[in-house]
Amino acid sequence: MGSTGEGLGRRDLIKRSAALGLVSAPAMGLLSACASGGDASASGPVKGPVTKENPFGVAKGGKLDVVIFKGGFGDDYAKTWEAAFDKKWGTTSSHLGTQEIAAKLQPRFNGGNPPDVVDDAGAQQIKIDVLAKGGQLTDLTQLLDAPTLDDPDRRIRDVLIPGTVEQGTQGGKFVALNYVYTVYGFWYSGKLFKEKGWTAPKTWDQFLDVCTKARDAGLGGLAHQGKFPYYINVVIMDLIAKKGGLEAMKAIDNLEPNAFEGNPAALAAVEAVYEVVEKGLLMAGTNGLTHTESQTAWNQYRAAFIPSGSWLENEQLKQTPADFDMKFLPVPVLADSKLPAEAIRAGAGEPFIVPEKAANKAGGLEFLRSMLSREWSTLFAQQANSLTVVKDGVDPAVKLRPGTQSAVEAVKAAGPNTFNYLYPDWYSEMDTEIQNASNELMAKRIQPKEWIKRAQAAVDKAAKDPNAKNNRRS
């Protein structure tokens, strides 16, 4: 929803993710290719001829208007992309990197002159489901059916990791390309754990034990981004999925009347998180902190664990001590969980869109197609320190940072036991209402059973949306 950056949380509060290390960027020559198209007119590009190399009919010359959420990933990668695109197509790209997506772009959407490509992420994201309901998004099915730049005999849909299309589908239409491969869970310092003799927990009881040892050592057990309950929701929802299995997760996405109420796994998950609060295992003051404040305190060894997506490492580069040794940990399991301890939430995040009223829609679509090439995917890995949704899309020579390397190893260890919720994308209002309930829970203003009641009310409300009938996962 990175899924990280400044503003609320990251990724819907930052729904995003994954971070790698840096190597030198590939030569720009790798990014150049043949171009075909027409000329630009004074009012903007005209449609160029459609060919196998130019499936959307990009006009040579003309302009491309790009807006990027400048959060944990920065926006230098996009500037490199734009330079490559301009070199290939003879276009002139305009670039805006900002965290104020809604403030900057809502007037443009309302006025009928939106950008051609938007990275619509971060705390001030314009909700994808809201844009889709308003008919503001281009149907990207044509992108899925277009040939890849790396192999003209393969379609774009064939090179995406499983779940990418589903994640970007609204009301039966594919409208958002979630580009970053994101992993969610807990994070800890390898250095701190080694010094204290702690072992990374696999069960929730072991997790509570480490948190207790941290408290007894004068540290917090769990730091969380109190002002932005998006993050603690990751823990609650992951516990539900792992305890109740994929059926429990699907019941929530499918707005079942017993998604929360009458679901023992849901109550057990909320009670487990509430136990951290009741036993005084939270880092002091964490309920009143922003995501960056809480994460920085964690980087200062003031708490054992913090929940986040895999954008965390890149977001905290300046605050992380050189020998911190950041490590990823799947959310530990409750007793009698249907999924193993290794199971993790992982999938596509960071939605890129092409507005329906974009002046250069063909250019926007071609830009997304280029993003899904091996060259551009590798560039993103190098410059944004993150993995993409392109299968085997990153050059093996790219060196991973410690946190991301541990996340990649966790994905391998999880094997087929990966899962990902869709309701935050499909029903943003429901997501916000559940987050609000979590905020009240962590502050001890409500009890677990009240959380369940409020979460189910949010589900029932979302189920009344006529568009919900088109959002269904099997």
Side-chain angles (χ1 to χ4, degrees):
M1 185 329 225
S3 184
T4 215
E6 301 299 296
L8 279 187
R10 231 185 118 50
R11 287 344 132 228
D12 198 294
L13 225 208
I14 326 216
K15 298 180 195 161
R16 342 177 171 201
S17 8
L20 351 176
L22 298 161
V23 301
S24 58
M28 192 65 84
L30 288 173
L31 301 173
S32 61
C34 59
S36 60
D39 300 318
S41 67
S43 60
V46 258
K47 185 101 168 165
V50 174
T51 64
K52 189 171 185 179
E53 293 76 25
N54 186 12
F56 308 117
V58 179
K60 189 155 185 168
K63 300 176 181 178
L64 187 74
D65 189 347
V66 182
V67 176
I68 299 294
F69 170 68
K70 190 175 181 180
F73 303 127
D75 64 342
D76 286 345
Y77 69 89
K79 294 176 183 177
T80 304
W81 284 350
E82 291 155 18
F85 194 86
D86 289 345
K87 181 177 180 180
K88 177 176 179 178
W89 295 102
T91 47
T92 301
S93 293
S94 64
H95 174 93
L96 172 63
T98 180
Q99 293 178 14
E100 301 176 353
I101 296 294
K104 299 287 188 184
L105 296 188
Q106 195 66 65
R108 295 190 59 184
F109 273 99
N110 293 344
N113 63 328
D116 302 312
V117 179
V118 181
D119 171 14
D120 184 23
Q124 298 183 50
Q125 170 198 50
I126 304 177
K127 301 300 184 184
I128 299 294
D129 58 335
V130 174
L131 288 172
K133 288 176 186 176
Q136 298 273 30
L137 301 178
T138 296
D139 186 342
L140 300 179
T141 303
Q142 56 193 311
L143 172 68
L144 297 177
D145 293 332
T148 68
L149 285 171
D150 298 307
D151 182 353
D153 292 327
R154 298 186 74 189
R155 296 181 301 169
I156 291 294
R157 66 170 73 247
D158 299 327
V159 301
L160 302 177
I161 63 168
T164 304
V165 175
E166 193 175 34
Q167 199 78 31
T169 297
Q170 294 280 345
K173 290 184 179 180
F174 180 60
V175 294
L177 171 64
N178 287 276
Y179 186 67
V180 182
Y181 187 73
T182 308
V183 180
Y184 301 87
F186 283 124
W187 299 81
Y188 66 96
S189 163
K191 176 187 177 182
L192 178 65
F193 272 53
K194 185 175 182 179
E195 288 180 352
K196 299 293 185 183
W198 299 338
T199 300
K202 290 191 174 183
T203 70
W204 194 255
D205 284 343
Q206 292 170 351
F207 172 78
L208 293 176
D209 182 58
V210 175
C211 286
T212 301
K213 289 177 179 177
R215 181 195 62 190
D216 294 346
L219 309 177
L222 175 65
H224 80 107
Q225 301 83 337
K227 288 190 175 181
F228 307 115
Y230 162 84
Y231 294 91
I232 198 65
N233 251 26
V234 168
V235 182
I236 294 173
M237 303 307 292
D238 281 16
L239 283 171
I240 293 173
K242 296 178 88 162
K243 172 76 172 177
L246 299 182
E247 293 308 310
M249 176 193 70
K250 292 176 183 178
I252 295 170
D253 283 343
N254 289 335
L255 309 178
E256 299 293 344
N258 62 346
F260 291 106
E261 288 186 331
N263 180 355
L267 182 59
V270 182
E271 288 178 337
V273 172
Y274 192 64
E275 190 173 359
V276 176
V277 180
E278 283 194 306
K279 290 187 174 180
L281 302 179
L282 290 178
M283 182 183 77
T286 193
N287 281 338
L289 301 181
T290 65
H291 63 299
T292 50
E293 291 168 344
S294 188
Q295 291 161 190
T296 298
W298 170 73
N299 280 141
Q300 295 167 347
Y301 304 105
R302 288 167 54 191
F305 300 102
I306 196 164
S308 188
S310 45
W311 59 81
L312 177 68
E313 184 171 41
N314 198 53
E315 187 170 64
Q316 293 296 115
L317 283 179
K318 293 180 181 179
Q319 290 76 30
T320 305
D323 59 350
F324 189 82
D325 190 21
M326 193 177 293
K327 297 288 188 182
F328 173 79
L329 174 72
V331 172
V333 291
L334 297 168
D336 301 318
S337 285
K338 292 185 178 180
L339 295 183
E342 293 77 17
I344 54 174
R345 189 196 308 201
E350 196 80 4
F352 281 74
I353 58 174
V354 175
E356 177 62 24
K357 295 184 179 179
N360 189 0
K361 188 185 293 187
L365 289 166
E366 183 62 26
F367 195 85
L368 296 190
R369 187 170 80 113
S370 302
M371 285 168 53
L372 298 167
S373 66
R374 187 175 176 83
E375 285 95 351
W376 282 33
S377 184
T378 296
L379 269 171
F380 183 82
Q382 293 163 334
Q383 297 191 17
N385 306 312
S386 301
L387 296 171
T388 76
V389 295
V390 181
K391 294 177 187 175
D392 303 318
V394 176
D395 192 308
V398 174
K399 183 181 179 182
L400 308 181
R401 294 187 185 278
T404 302
Q405 180 61 45
S406 69
V408 170
E409 291 169 359
V411 170
K412 291 179 181 178
N417 292 303
T418 61
F419 59 91
N420 203 11
Y421 284 94
L422 297 179
Y423 79 87
D425 294 305
W426 284 352
Y427 311 109
S428 59
E429 185 178 346
M430 167 184 154
D431 183 34
T432 298
E433 289 172 357
I434 296 175
Q435 288 181 35
N436 290 341
S438 297
N439 185 50
E440 297 292 290
L441 182 83
M442 300 306 288
K444 297 182 75 172
R445 289 191 288 267
I446 66 172
Q447 301 289 312
K449 288 183 179 179
E450 176 64 19
W451 187 98
I452 293 290
K453 181 179 178 181
R454 295 188 184 190
Q456 187 63 53
V459 167
D460 296 342
K461 182 179 178 180
K464 295 177 182 178
D465 184 339
N467 201 45
K469 67 179 185 296
N470 295 316
N471 292 333
R472 186 85 187 169
R473 66 186 305 169
S474 57

